[in-house]
Amino acid sequence: MTKQKILVTGGTGFIGSHTVVALFEAGYDVTITDNLSNSFIEVLDGIEKISGCKPEFYNLDLTNKDAVNSFFDTNSNFDGVIHFAAYKAVGESVDLPLKYYGNNLGSMVNLLENMGQKKIKNLVFSSSCTVYGEPDSLPVTENSPVKKAESPYGTTKIMGETILEDAVKANIVNAISLRYFNPIGAHPSALIGEIPIGVPNNLIPVVTQTAIGKRKKITVYGDDYPTPDGSCIRDYIHVTDLAKAHVIALKRMISGTQKKDYEVFNIGTGTGYSVIEVLNTFEKVSGLKLNYEIGERRKGDVIKIFADTSFANQELGWKAEENLETMVGSAWAWEQNIPKLFPGLS
Ligand code: WQD
């Protein structure tokens, strides 16, 4: 029996690469498009070493309409698409909003136009808990109000979901948006993981780069918030748990078991941890003492957010399995492996 074929845009990225591995393990064939603006082609080697399968790869900028149209003219027999390709640096998006709107939304429109023309029906979209802003009540459910985003990055996720919903109403595609909480960690093989280019924004790469000596110290952005230890609380989720959710969402659409043509799911663990709890957990797991100081609050930071995951648990039969110790432990193992895999980076 021929394998079902899945297109993964942004498939050499952090979450994309882990999802490609999960797709191979679930018996799919995978084609990746990526413009390598925020990832490395060598990630394909890691994917192949882990899964024994080599994805087809096309270096493609989804904002280039002609290039996208000609890609789909010769590659259109996909059973589904998982769309990761987007810029995702919150801080950068504040300084360069048009870069984010042009790229993240332009890519989405070009992709949807081609899926419509080629009758490719099933799309999983990489959305984010950022759409909830500062929630009025916790945990957040999929019906919690979507609020004005704190950054253009977050706005592109809200607008991306709106574009998708309208495309579903126009019978262009069926779709599932997965609202990620904070993806962290790395594959247990330490052959793929997060590779921040330049100075990382997210907490975990800052922690592991400080632990390995690439950075001098960690600044905790505020410990005067209304939380038990004063630092912000997030719902951290292992990237391998997140990857599995994408495969399940895809299967739901391909098998025609969606209850609505457009569905949204929170993909988190349902547990919130503070920044200082994450640092303490890392020290416990690594046996290292982290050099950190308390600094000023970071503009746009949400104080506290974690997910109500009951809808995904019930409807998708999916539940996060990995705990915080495993998450930070796998991130640390990956950081120590980067110099071997990417000697030019260290
Ligand atoms: C987490 C906590 C910081 C760095 C963003 C996006 C989200 C998703 C994940 C892409 C916060 C604190 C951080 C540091 C710190 N994006 N922190 N010192 O902002 O929750 O979410 O990244 O996938 O959509 O919004 O993640 O890791 O930047 O911050 O104290 O050096 O760590 O203040 O409380 P965030 P983050």
Side-chain angles (χ1 to χ4, degrees), residues 90 128 130 153 182 201-203 219-221 232 234 298 301:
V90 173
S128 167
T130 310
Y153 159 79
N182 284 57
N201 303 294
N202 293 138
L203 177 64
T219 303
V220 174
Y221 295 141
C232 294
R234 296 287 185 276
R298 179 173 68 177
D301 265 341

Side-chain angles (χ1 to χ4, degrees), residues 107-149:
S107 303
M108 170 78 99
V109 170
N110 289 343
L111 175 65
L112 287 169
E113 273 178 349
N114 279 276
M115 287 181 72
Q117 280 149 23
K118 305 296 183 192
K119 306 272 178 281
I120 302 167
K121 283 310 277 179
N122 305 308
L123 176 67
V124 178
F125 175 54
S126 161
S127 189
S128 167
C129 64
T130 310
V131 305
Y132 297 116
E134 185 73 62
D136 304 324
S137 64
L138 286 168
V140 287
T141 72
E142 287 79 2
N143 300 315
S144 295
V146 169
K147 291 191 170 177
K148 182 166 172 11

Side-chain angles (χ1 to χ4, degrees), residues 14-23 25 82 84 124 178-188 192 235-250 265-271 273 309 312-313 316-328 330:
F14 173 38
I15 303 160
S17 55
H18 287 80
T19 302
V20 169
V21 166
L23 285 166
E25 285 167 353
I82 303 182
F84 292 105
V124 178
L178 299 181
R179 290 176 179 165
Y180 308 162
F181 283 70
N182 284 57
I184 65 170
H187 191 269
I192 54 174
D235 183 333
Y236 297 95
I237 176 168
H238 200 296
V239 64
T240 53
D241 278 330
L242 180 56
K244 287 173 192 160
H246 290 78
V247 179
I248 293 170
L250 198 64
F265 294 96
N266 283 341
I267 303 297
T269 65
T271 304
Y273 288 102
T309 61
N313 302 155
L316 298 179
W318 169 89
K319 190 167 173 49
E321 292 156 12
E322 303 299 344
N323 63 26
L324 186 63
E325 293 195 4
T326 307
M327 294 182 217
V328 298
S330 62

